Amino acid sequence: MSTNAPVHLTTAWPVFFGHAVTVRPLLPTDADLEIELGRSLSSESLHHRFLNGGIKLNPRLLDRLLNVDFSRDLALIATATFAGAETPLAVARYARLDDDPHAAEIAVTVADPWQGYGIGKRLLGRLIECAADAGLRRLLGDVHATNRRMLGLAGALGFGTRFHPDGGHLRLIELALDGRVAPPHALHEVNDL
């Protein structure tokens, strides 16, 4: 599926001491990087990313994460090179919804040692740009209510936050790609975040 990876989306920015973060499409050959990123996540980060703590990175899940159909979806990886080795810092992705080809669900994962350095914000910002360029009109995400960092990141990038229709432990973040927050779809606004 990933044979037509949009390599033109590759970009980089300097971070510190001559190092740079490179953002590029995630490829099937990145299994080692995806595994390393997964191993860098605390149980809390795994819980926030997969909305429970019981997900294990098994071969089936790894295959699903790495084999992106770039004709409809996108996965970007942020890496930096230290001592000659490419190190995974974060992954962000969108997957178009089956019932609405102009909307996609997003997910962002930042390695625990790299949280709080703005990498997630830059990477999600890049994903938003790519989604708009691909003709998407709306991005959505399920976020655990205790995931304050992701809720703050989403808010900083213009996402609205609402109670999730599936329950009180989840929030729904939503962004209209024309820059306005998408209207509430019979959901209540969350003002207590």
Side-chain angles (χ1 to χ4, degrees), residues 14 35 37 42-43 54 61 64 80 120-123 138 141 158 190:
I35 290 167
L37 179 66
S42 65
S43 58
L61 177 58
R64 196 180 78 195
K121 186 174 185 179
R122 295 278 302 259
L123 185 60
R138 194 166 55 105
V190 176

Side-chain angles (χ1 to χ4, degrees), residues 74 76 92-94 106 108 120-140 150 153-159 173-179:
L74 181 63
L76 297 173
R93 61 181 66 240
Y94 70 72
I106 63 155
V108 180
K121 186 174 185 179
R122 295 278 302 259
L123 185 60
L124 183 54
R126 180 73 176 132
L127 189 75
I128 291 168
E129 290 172 9
C130 293
D133 290 347
L136 288 167
R137 295 185 193 139
R138 194 166 55 105
L139 298 176
L140 306 116
M150 183 60 199
L153 170 62
L157 291 173
F159 284 80
I173 58 171
E174 191 169 359
L175 176 71
L177 293 180
D178 63 1

